[in-house]
Amino acid sequence: MTTPSPNATTDFPRKKKQHTILIVDDNRDNLAVLSYLNSYGYRVLVARNGESALQKARDGHPDIILLDILMPGLDGFETCRKLKSHRQTRDIPVIFMTALAEASDKIKGFQVGGVDYITKPIQHEEVLARVKTHLSIHDLTHNLQDQANDLQRMNTRLVKRSIQIETSSQLGQQVTSILDLDELMNRVVKLIQSKFSYYFVGIWLIEEQQGAVVLRARAGSDEHLLPPPGFQLPITDTNYAVVWVGHNCQHHLTNDTAKSIKSLAADTLRPAKSALTLPLRVMNESIGALDILSNRTDEFLEEDEDILVLQTLANQIAIAIRNAEFYKVEQRRRRLAESLEYTGRVLSSSLDLKQVPGRILEELAKVVPYERGLVLLQREDTLHSIAQRGFPDNEKTPLLHISIHSGDIFQRITESLRPLLLNDVTQDSGWRQLDWLPIHHSWLGVPLIAKDKVIGMMSLTRREIGAFSLDDATMALAFAGQAAIVLENASLYDEIRQLNEDLELKVTQRTEELNKAYQILERLDQTKTDFINVTSHELRTPLAVIKGYSQMLNIRPAINHDAKAQELLNGIIAGVNRLHQIVNTMLDVARIDAEGLQLQPESINIHETVKQIRQQFTPALQERSLTMTLADLKSLPDIQADPELLDKVFYNLIVNAIKYTPDGGAITVNGRVVEWTDRPAVEIVVSDTGIGIDPEHHDQIFEKFYQTGEVALHSSGQTKFKGGGPGLGLAIVRGIILAHGGQVWVESEKFDEEAYPGSRFHVVLPLVQPTTG
Ligand code: ADP
């Protein structure tokens, strides 16, 4: 029999480890095998009885046990049974050593868990061979077991990895396709939580302005235990894992949440056992944390690459959040721009002061979300609400009137001309809470500035603490600029409208009064015309009688021979003639008023007509040393006109020229052919060097009974300087000229009784009368 070389251990090149053999035998002689096995490099332990064997098997971790059957105390079978019943020693192969050669003993040995049998007296080589074989089988089994375990682990890891890859890819898709920040975060936490069956997944974001780390999205298996979205932790309390991670930009791991620094697991989510908090990193800066809790212990291991994979997910999420935030800001900017443009257009299209403020609040809500809003106009030290939105029972809420006190929030805005943002009104001494209004913690006040002056402000509130951002304030201010202009315009328009209404009312009242006065005047005028008509008719008969008798008297020799009587009679005759003339004039006027002038047109030579009239006035012209020149009249063509009426025209114009020109003055009558409303006509101008007429009276002098002189100056002398008459001459002139389809007007620089600027009466008459032409 060859003794295997001590180097035989190299038979197991995969296992370099030194094997330990426990030999259990009460007989010292049998232990000689000990040194033999030692020489083959085995570590040998010895036990002298069953109890000691159990102890050494537990403590010494033998790879194989050589067990004697016959021993005092626990025998070999019993010892083996006990070894097999302990978890720690169950797998150690046991080889029985005995002199018993009975088959039944051998069978019993196998039954209690032995793997082999060595018969005493012991053959060293046999022992060595069996030991080697069983160690080798044992090692192989172990190896196989290890390999199976490895495979199992690898499989688990692969499954996990595939879930991670799937999640990551789904996450990738979602984060690029969803731009709504809240929706994005909610989807992400749900996805991670369901894919990995975590107990809780939450996204916390750092909100510097609110001084808090805020839970923005969460998902978990214990729905009822979940803290509400918006749940906050103070930004300074780094005892909380999420705050710590936010500060340090590193992950935090605990596998015993009871002992860890504070987390939701310690507060509300007690079933959680392990917690992994990962920073949401953008450019080496943390914007918040991804909080993962598991109800399995040791879910995350520091050396595990899971953390790396989850951190990659967290990075992906962080970038997506930042993008969504940028998008949100961008969206808001765009909405603001659109809204400003729209507000400008829509609001200025309505200038109704009752509607504009309400619309302002409506439009503003699209740019800066708020829950309660007011538009206030300032009058002295009081702010008067002109529109409110979001109040309990809004329609019925009375419009608010808020007086401004020194140091309060409203005064701060009025003084600074800047928006004021309160994250929590209960922390501000300048805040006054109305008892009947439910408290809203966040407040944003924005001044309405028009022409560098605060005309009022907009007050916006939200229920939660720190709900408005600086961005909101900037947006609201930009909006307020536009709103202030629109409000200012609307109130100006309102003022103008009010003034207009007042004015219109006054105009209507005045018109009514004028109408009444006009009607009275018309009645008076009619009465006057009737009076003239009646009087002149009534006067004509007695006048004719007086005239007849005086003419009869005039031829009586008794009168003719009595110079005094003749003089008196001449006076009567002159007076009667004048009266007759006046009565005729009055009749002409009455006829003109009644539009009863009947034209009897004939061909008329103007030069002749005027010449004859001048003839009549020769004595007067001489008496007053006046010259009267008829220039350019001869060349005028004859015209169609009523000769008697035309006589009256020139008679009146010339008599006026004589009357209103001082002694020694000059009267000229000019004429020329003109085009008059596309018809041939003559224009005759009677000029004098008299007192002139104020341009203010140029139209009025053609009205009947109109005189610029004083009634006291009236005299019966028809051609006396400034003699004055009844004020009917020019009214008759105009009536006659209009009846001929012509026009009359006067030109004179001014009325001046020293400088004598003179007057020029223009008469235009068509050559032919339409009816006769
Ligand atoms: P009257 O009987 O007063 O002359 P008229 O109708 O002829 O009435 O004239 C109206 C008024 O026009 C006169 O009272 C006078 O003041 C003014 N007037 C008319 N003709 C002249 C004139 N040639 N120069 C200055 N004033 C004149």
Side-chain angles (χ1 to χ4, degrees):
M1 172 175 260
T2 54
T3 307
S5 120
N7 292 332
T9 45
T10 50
D11 285 354
F12 305 103
R14 291 181 61 229
K15 282 268 173 188
K16 288 262 155 83
K17 90 171 206 190
Q18 185 188 27
H19 284 109
T20 304
I21 303 169
L22 171 62
I23 302 176
V24 187
D25 202 332
D26 59 332
N27 187 345
R28 224 176 254 276
D29 300 340
N30 286 334
L31 296 176
V33 71
L34 218 159
S35 55
Y36 179 75
L37 289 172
N38 259 340
S39 70
Y40 273 90
Y42 292 108
R43 180 170 156 250
V44 180
L45 303 174
V46 176
R48 303 291 296 278
N49 55 49
E51 278 79 13
S52 156
L54 292 176
Q55 181 68 43
K56 294 210 163 147
R58 269 199 299 275
D59 299 342
H61 305 293
D63 296 297
I64 195 162
I65 299 172
L66 299 178
L67 183 58
D68 188 20
I69 293 177
L70 294 175
M71 288 187 294
L74 279 182
D75 67 3
F77 294 132
E78 204 46 43
T79 308
C80 185
R81 203 173 282 123
K82 282 200 170 7
L83 283 168
K84 293 298 161 188
S85 64
H86 275 99
R87 192 173 60 85
Q88 244 177 306
T89 49
R90 184 193 299 154
D91 293 333
I92 308 170
V94 174
I95 301 174
F96 285 112
M97 306 185 292
T98 184
L100 300 174
E102 292 296 322
S104 62
D105 285 329
K106 288 187 179 170
I107 289 165
K108 192 174 178 190
F110 287 120
Q111 278 172 346
V112 295
V115 291
D116 208 349
Y117 224 89
I118 300 172
T119 328
K120 288 186 179 175
I122 288 167
Q123 294 296 312
H124 288 179
E125 289 78 7
E126 186 194 351
V127 171
L128 184 66
R130 288 189 192 274
V131 162
K132 266 188 180 175
T133 308
H134 285 290
L135 276 177
S136 152
I137 292 168
H138 179 68
D139 283 352
L140 280 172
T141 318
H142 260 282
N143 277 348
L144 276 175
Q145 188 63 47
D146 282 353
Q147 276 174 26
N149 285 347
D150 281 354
L151 279 174
Q152 180 69 33
R153 267 200 301 280
M154 241 146 84
N155 188 41
T156 319
R157 205 181 288 167
L158 277 174
V159 169
K160 217 168 170 184
R161 187 58 29 88
S162 91
I163 295 175
Q164 283 166 351
I165 288 166
E166 193 187 323
T167 313
S168 174
S169 110
Q170 284 186 12
L171 202 81
Q173 273 172 18
Q174 305 215 344
V175 295
T176 45
S177 64
I178 304 170
L179 281 166
D180 179 279
L181 188 54
D182 288 312
E183 194 193 336
L184 171 88
M185 292 190 290
N186 280 320
R187 289 259 200 111
V188 163
V189 290
K190 281 204 184 92
L191 184 74
I192 299 179
Q193 195 260 331
S194 63
K195 286 281 175 194
F196 296 98
S197 307
Y198 289 134
Y199 178 68
F200 170 87
V201 177
I203 289 179
W204 299 77
L205 292 187
I206 300 172
E207 304 286 356
E208 298 275 0
Q209 205 201 325
Q210 297 174 38
V213 178
V214 182
L215 180 63
R216 293 289 302 269
R218 81 283 186 272
S221 24
D222 277 341
E223 192 76 41
H224 64 284
L225 289 182
L226 295 179
F231 180 81
Q232 302 191 347
L233 295 173
I235 203 162
T236 44
D237 193 349
T238 44
N239 285 327
Y240 278 102
V242 285
V243 182
W244 186 92
V245 166
H247 272 273
N248 295 285
C249 210
Q250 286 173 33
H251 75 261
H252 184 274
L253 167 66
T254 174
N255 280 308
D256 186 353
T257 51
K259 283 189 208 147
S260 97
I261 62 171
K262 287 195 267 181
S263 82
L264 285 179
D267 294 347
T268 42
L269 302 173
R270 288 190 176 276
K273 296 282 179 292
S274 342
L276 174 63
T277 313
L278 299 153
L280 292 171
R281 272 196 291 245
V282 179
M283 317 259 268
N284 289 333
E285 207 186 290
S286 171
I287 60 163
L290 177 67
D291 201 11
I292 303 174
L293 302 180
S294 164
N295 51 10
R296 298 179 283 268
T297 3
D298 295 332
E299 172 79 39
F300 315 101
L301 298 175
E302 194 62 71
E303 65 281 1
D304 211 341
E305 57 191 57
D306 277 11
I307 294 181
L308 218 96
V309 174
L310 287 167
Q311 182 62 62
T312 314
L313 281 186
N315 294 349
Q316 233 177 322
I317 295 167
I319 289 165
I321 289 175
R322 187 38 64 86
N323 283 347
E325 275 174 352
F326 282 154
Y327 180 74
K328 201 171 165 186
V329 170
E330 202 44 49
Q331 281 269 79
R332 289 188 72 181
R333 294 259 146 83
R334 216 193 61 226
R335 271 212 301 279
L336 176 73
E338 277 173 9
S339 178
L340 286 183
E341 194 267 335
Y342 180 80
T343 329
R345 202 152 35 81
V346 171
L347 293 190
S348 22
S349 71
S350 159
L351 283 168
D352 187 343
L353 196 54
K354 286 195 198 78
Q355 281 183 6
V356 164
R359 289 232 194 138
I360 287 177
L361 284 180
E362 247 171 63
E363 286 303 311
L364 179 58
K366 294 181 192 160
V367 188
V368 180
Y370 62 88
E371 278 152 35
R372 276 201 306 255
L374 287 174
V375 178
L376 302 153
L377 278 192
Q378 186 175 346
R379 238 168 281 135
E380 282 154 15
D381 284 342
T382 310
L383 290 165
H384 303 272
S385 154
I386 50 168
Q388 33 204 47
R389 197 168 188 264
F391 280 76
D393 208 356
N394 202 25
E395 298 302 309
K396 289 187 193 150
T397 309
L399 289 177
L400 301 178
H401 303 279
I402 305 167
S403 44
I404 305 177
H405 296 294
S406 126
D408 75 4
I409 49 170
F410 302 107
Q411 204 218 16
R412 273 182 264 163
I413 290 182
T414 322
E415 272 180 8
S416 68
L417 305 181
R418 302 280 319 143
L420 180 62
L421 203 161
L422 301 182
N423 283 325
D424 186 356
V425 293
T426 59
Q427 303 301 310
D428 195 287
S429 57
W431 177 260
R432 278 170 287 143
Q433 179 66 34
L434 294 168
D435 319 331
W436 53 272
L437 264 183
I439 194 154
H440 279 188
H441 287 276
S442 302
W443 185 77
L444 176 59
V446 193
L448 289 165
I449 302 167
K451 295 184 197 118
D452 297 331
K453 224 185 106 217
V454 173
I455 59 162
M457 55 193 77
M458 294 193 296
S459 154
L460 309 178
T461 65
R462 284 180 71 173
R463 204 165 291 122
E464 303 126 43
I465 294 177
F468 290 114
S469 62
L470 284 177
D471 204 34
D472 285 332
T474 317
M475 297 268 189
L477 187 68
F479 187 90
Q482 188 99 3
I485 296 169
V486 174
L487 268 178
E488 177 90 338
N489 285 350
S491 68
L492 281 177
Y493 178 77
D494 197 56
E495 236 172 70
I496 290 171
R497 198 180 46 78
Q498 196 72 42
L499 279 175
N500 254 355
E501 271 174 19
D502 291 354
L503 210 70
E504 254 170 45
L505 197 76
K506 275 189 192 142
V507 167
T508 318
Q509 283 171 352
R510 289 287 135 80
T511 314
E512 254 172 48
E513 285 168 16
L514 275 175
N515 268 341
K516 274 186 197 149
Y518 183 72
Q519 280 165 9
I520 294 170
L521 277 177
E522 255 191 346
R523 267 206 309 280
L524 282 177
D525 197 54
Q526 188 55 46
T527 320
K528 229 163 34 176
T529 310
D530 292 349
F531 173 75
I532 295 168
N533 217 350
V534 171
T535 328
S536 43
H537 273 106
E538 289 301 315
L539 284 175
R540 263 162 81 95
T541 321
L543 258 180
V545 173
I546 299 171
K547 207 172 171 180
Y549 284 132
S550 52
Q551 272 164 3
M552 279 157 75
L553 274 179
N554 204 23
I555 51 169
R556 301 289 293 186
I559 300 284
N560 296 147
H561 293 123
D562 185 341
K564 189 67 193 170
Q566 183 65 54
E567 191 192 332
L568 291 173
L569 183 63
N570 282 349
I572 291 172
I573 291 171
V576 167
N577 281 342
R578 175 88 179 108
L579 204 58
H580 196 225
Q581 216 174 13
I582 289 172
V583 167
N584 280 344
T585 311
M586 281 162 73
L587 271 172
D588 285 342
V589 167
R591 252 187 260 139
I592 287 168
D593 273 353
E595 284 166 14
L597 276 186
Q598 299 292 328
L599 299 191
Q600 307 287 333
E602 285 172 21
S603 186
I604 289 173
N605 183 297
I606 294 183
H607 182 252
E608 278 308 316
T609 308
V610 178
K611 209 167 98 182
Q612 269 178 28
I613 294 168
R614 184 176 60 177
Q615 197 71 39
Q616 285 178 49
F617 285 112
T618 312
L621 290 168
Q622 279 172 357
E623 192 193 329
R624 302 270 320 282
S625 314
L626 294 167
T627 58
M628 180 166 168
T629 320
L630 310 188
D632 302 336
L633 292 183
K634 276 193 192 134
S635 58
L636 290 181
D638 287 357
I639 64 163
Q640 292 275 326
D642 185 310
E644 200 184 322
L645 294 177
L646 209 63
D647 264 3
K648 287 184 182 170
V649 169
F650 291 112
Y651 179 90
N652 277 301
L653 291 178
I654 290 166
V655 89
N656 278 349
I658 295 171
K659 265 198 299 189
Y660 299 106
T661 305
D663 294 1
I667 298 163
T668 315
V669 185
N670 282 317
R672 59 181 182 133
V673 177
V674 290
E675 277 282 307
W676 179 251
T677 57
D678 292 340
R679 290 163 65 195
V682 288
E683 183 184 13
I684 297 114
V685 184
V686 180
S687 319
D688 60 47
T689 55
I691 56 178
I693 306 165
D694 196 321
E696 211 179 279
H697 299 138
H698 283 188
D699 286 332
Q700 295 156 349
I701 53 171
F702 292 96
E703 298 294 332
K704 61 178 182 274
F705 299 118
Y706 188 88
Q707 303 154 320
T708 55
E710 284 179 37
V711 180
L713 285 172
H714 282 206
S715 82
S716 55
Q718 210 191 345
T719 52
K720 267 189 150 177
F721 180 47
K722 295 196 278 183
L728 296 173
L730 289 179
I732 291 172
V733 168
R734 188 181 59 173
I736 295 170
I737 299 290
L738 291 181
H740 279 86
Q743 186 78 25
V744 58
W745 70 94
V746 67
E747 286 173 2
S748 177
E749 189 196 330
K750 58 180 176 180
F751 169 79
D752 192 332
E753 289 179 282
E754 283 172 12
Y756 300 115
S759 312
R760 287 167 306 287
F761 282 83
H762 292 248
V763 171
V764 173
L765 283 165
L767 289 189
V768 197
Q769 289 304 305
T771 44
T772 57

